[in-house]
Amino acid sequence: LEGYELYVNASLGISIYPLDGNDAEDLMKKANVSMHWGKEKGGSTYKFYTAAMDKRASAELVLENDLFKAIEKNELYLCYQPQIDIFSKNMIGAEALVRWKHPKLGEIPPSKFIPLAERSGFIIRLGEWVLRKACEQLKRWHQNGFSGIKVAVNLSTLQFRQKNLVNMVMEILKETGLKPVHLEMEITESSAMQDPDFTIAILKKFTEMGIEIAIDDFGTGYSSLAYLKRFPLQKLKIDRSFIQDLNHKEESQAIVSAIIAMSRNLGLKVLAEGVETKQQFDYLKQQGCEQIQGYFFSPPLWAEKFEQIFLK
């Protein structure tokens, strides 16, 4: 094509007459459902239609519609998972995590509704809501004497590509009265590497404001170390998958030790996610990891419970 050779693949969805439908419209609809099922499983494949696919697609559509109304109905709320200095064991911050209590289905796990929000584009509105609520809560904590705490907020890939992202963050900080130095923005390694030059430009604007930047899920996104050196970062968060395997996989120990050593040499703070056992805690402390986050210290907490833990 105009001198370029293109490599393409295909996913096929198949429905069968009369088993799956009696007319072309119904058959095409069900073939489309099965095609999307195949794409979700990795693509470059074919899938025959089953009733289970349609049931799942219908359930997801209903859930997606409910998600769009969840903010207005006050069904969403934030929890805060403490971040701990591994040597002093003091709480130094918290990661804000969104939760959804559906009026009929109860608690919907983030692993179920976050992908829906990303696919539908709702993640942009949801992310703005999370940032505003987290900043409002942190400002209240500071006013009540809980000084020295930062709050970390995740940015999705879609959010990070917003043209007005920097202005939106500035407006929320101005509205809530929170100083930028108390806010930490987390982006995933894979998001950062999609367009490194764009990432550098945006992150520079945040750091100039005083906002701390952390790379989340580090070790899973195949980042270029050359670009990592150029990114205006302050912290790396080691992905929980490596921490979970610390006790029984030497490869994970080697990766975690290497990330900690690299962070130290680059002048970056390092935080380990998903710390659940004393053995993991002891190993990370021995290696010089500075901060931890995970159930070994505390699960995500309601704001009121977070305050009680902080006071202790």
Side-chain angles (χ1 to χ4, degrees):
L1 177 64
E2 296 183 352
Y4 293 95
E5 188 172 0
L6 305 182
Y7 294 85
V8 298
N9 55 36
S11 295
L12 304 179
I14 305 168
S15 60
I16 299 173
Y17 170 86
L19 180 65
D20 300 324
N22 293 314
D23 58 66
E25 184 179 353
D26 197 23
L27 289 167
M28 287 297 290
K29 175 185 172 185
K30 291 174 178 174
N32 190 49
V33 168
S34 51
M35 180 195 69
H36 282 289
W37 182 277
K39 289 174 72 174
E40 283 186 19
K41 301 301 179 183
S44 298
T45 186
Y46 64 90
K47 292 291 180 182
F48 285 90
Y49 171 81
T50 65
M53 293 178 183
D54 216 15
K55 186 176 180 181
R56 176 187 160 183
S58 297
E60 286 190 351
L61 182 60
V62 170
L63 200 62
E64 186 178 305
N65 289 335
D66 288 347
L67 182 58
F68 274 88
K69 305 169 188 173
I71 291 178
E72 285 77 14
K73 293 186 175 182
N74 294 317
E75 295 168 6
L76 298 174
Y77 63 95
L78 294 185
C79 283
Y80 300 87
Q81 186 164 37
Q83 296 177 334
I84 311 302
D85 181 288
I86 203 167
F87 297 103
S88 68
K89 296 184 182 178
N90 289 331
M91 288 170 60
I92 54 174
E95 180 179 0
L97 300 166
V98 64
R99 297 292 185 260
W100 182 16
K101 188 170 184 179
H102 193 281
K104 294 181 181 177
L105 303 175
E107 292 287 342
I108 308 292
S111 59
K112 193 169 184 179
F113 73 81
I114 293 296
L116 279 179
E118 289 175 340
R119 285 203 298 269
S120 65
F122 183 70
I123 193 71
I124 292 177
R125 188 177 171 205
L126 177 60
E128 183 175 345
W129 181 88
V130 169
L131 179 61
R132 179 172 280 104
K133 291 296 181 182
C135 289
E136 288 174 351
Q137 180 62 64
L138 187 59
K139 182 63 178 178
R140 283 196 294 271
W141 280 336
H142 286 175
Q143 290 172 338
N144 293 333
F146 294 82
S147 59
I149 293 181
K150 287 192 171 196
V151 68
V153 178
N154 291 283
L155 285 176
S156 72
T157 302
L158 199 57
Q159 277 180 284
F160 194 65
R161 310 308 299 179
Q162 278 181 272
K163 291 182 179 179
N164 68 332
L165 175 63
V166 175
N167 288 336
M168 182 267 286
V169 173
M170 290 176 65
E171 287 174 9
I172 289 177
L173 289 171
K174 186 176 179 180
E175 287 173 18
T176 59
L178 184 70
K179 294 181 179 178
V181 292
H182 298 304
L183 178 63
E184 179 181 300
M185 308 292 277
E186 296 183 2
I187 62 169
T188 63
E189 187 180 4
S190 54
S191 296
M193 291 308 301
Q194 281 191 3
D195 186 345
D197 291 330
F198 174 82
T199 298
I200 291 169
I202 296 297
L203 297 189
K204 277 184 177 178
K205 291 179 181 178
F206 282 140
T207 52
E208 286 167 2
M209 292 165 58
I211 296 172
E212 189 167 281
I213 304 297
I215 293 289
D216 197 13
D217 301 338
F218 188 77
T220 62
Y222 309 105
S223 68
S224 163
L225 295 183
Y227 275 112
L228 186 63
K229 185 174 65 174
R230 291 177 56 197
F231 288 160
L233 307 172
Q234 288 76 46
K235 183 187 291 186
L236 296 181
K237 296 185 72 176
I238 305 173
D239 187 69
R240 66 182 62 246
S241 60
F242 300 118
I243 306 302
Q244 289 171 352
D245 292 337
L246 272 182
N247 298 341
H248 51 273
K249 281 192 178 181
E250 292 183 1
E251 296 93 334
S252 291
Q253 291 181 3
I255 291 171
V256 168
S257 299
I259 293 174
I260 294 171
M262 181 187 68
S263 300
R264 189 184 301 116
N265 291 332
L266 291 173
L268 301 174
K269 290 177 277 189
V270 61
L271 181 147
E273 295 184 287
V275 180
E276 297 180 353
T277 68
K278 188 176 187 303
Q279 293 93 327
Q280 293 167 353
F281 176 88
D282 290 341
Y283 181 83
L284 291 164
K285 187 175 182 180
Q286 179 189 359
Q287 295 300 313
C289 180
E290 297 170 305
Q291 302 172 11
I292 65 166
Q293 177 181 335
Y295 277 69
F296 176 68
F297 186 85
S298 173
L301 304 167
W302 287 79
E304 294 80 7
K305 186 65 176 177
F306 183 92
E307 293 174 15
Q308 295 172 15
I309 297 291
F310 183 81
L311 287 172
K312 292 180 182 179

